[in-house]
Amino acid sequence: MSSSKSRPDNVERRGITFDDGSSSKSRKIGGAFSSVTYEDVQKIAKHILAIVKCRPKIGVICGSGLGQLAELVEDSETIPYNEIPDFPVSTVPGHAGKLVFGTLKGKSVVLMQGRTHSYEGYSPQQTTLPVRTMKLMGVETLFVTNAAGGINRNFKVGDMMIIKDHMNLAGFSGMNPLVGPNDERFGPRFPPMSRAYDLDIRKLAHKVVKEMNYTDFVHEGVYSMMVGPNFETVTECKFLHTIGVDATGMSTVPEVLVAKHCGMRVFGMSLITNVVIMEFDSEATANHEEVLETGRQRSKYMQKLIATIIEKLDS
Ligand SMILES: O=P(O)(O)O[C@@H]1C[C@H](O)[C@@H](CO)O1
C-alpha cells in the first residue's frame, strides 16, 4: 500500500513472471493462444491478500470517469495496479489504476478504480486478469460499469442503462479472453452466455431505481463492444442500431465473459456519456473529454444507485 509511483510503460515492460523465471513476454501473452495459468493468478491473489485485511465478496469495475465510487468506501485499503506484480496498468485519463478494498454500505468490496482496454495494447487475457484475480480472492458477484455512447434514440446524455445482454463484436475478429487452453479450475471449455447478466440483481436494480425516483433516466438495454480506440463511423452506428444494440463502448464484454466462465454473478451498468452520430456529414464529433465531463456531472447518481443495489443485495 502506498501512493502511486510514476506509471511504467506497462505494455512493453511488464508481464507475468513464471516459476521457471521466464516471463509472459517469452510466452507471447497477447498472442491468439496465450494464457495466464491458474497458478499465476493464484500467486497474484495471494500477494494481494497478504497486503489487505479485507476479504471482499463483491467486486466493482469502475469505468471511464466513474471511479469516485471509491469515496463511499469505508476503512479503505488502496493498492495501485503498478505495485501488484504483473497486473495490467491503466494508461487512459479517467482510470486511476488502483484497487480499493473496504466496506461499502456494510458489504466487503473491492473496487477497480479504472480498467485496461485492448486498445491500450493489452491482450484480452491481460485486460481480464483482474477478474480472475478477484475470483481467486473470493469475489462471487461482479459489478461492471462503463461509459458508453447511446445508440438507442430515446437515450439522452447522462442517462443510465442496466445491461441486459451484450453483443461481442470484438469476438467476431477472434478477440475473446477465453481463446486458448482451458483450465477447468476456472470454468468449462464452452460456457453458456444466454443469461450473462443476473436476472435477480437486475430485478433488484429496477426496484431500487423506482424507490430512488430514477425511472426517467435509467433504462435497460443491450451493450456492444468494439475494440476502439476510434469512436464509431456513422455506418457502424447505423449497423449497431439495426441489430438491436442500445449503447456501445470499448470494454466490459471480455470481463463479463471471464466472470461468467468462472461462475460469478454479474451485474452491468452503462453511463450514456454521449449520443452517437448517425447523420452523415454532421458537424458533431464524439470525444473522450465529453465522456469524462458527463462522468463528472452524472457519476454521483450512478454511484448512489450502485451503492444502494449493493446494500440491498442478499449476500
Ligand atoms: O472503460 P470504459 O468502457 O468506461 O471507457 C470508455 C471507452 C473508452 O475507453 C473511453 C472512450 O471515451 O470511455
Side-chain angles (χ1 to χ4, degrees), residues 172-189:
F172 282 26
S173 62
M175 190 169 260
N176 185 316
L178 303 178
V179 166
N182 186 61
D183 190 323
E184 294 280 329
R185 287 173 293 179
F186 282 126
R189 173 77 286 183

Side-chain angles (χ1 to χ4, degrees), residues 63-64 95 115 117 119 146-147 223 231 250-251 288 291:
S64 282
H95 294 260
R115 55 160 60 87
H117 309 80
Y119 66 73
N146 57 60
Y223 174 88
F231 291 100
M250 306 176 194
S251 68
H288 189 55
V291 170

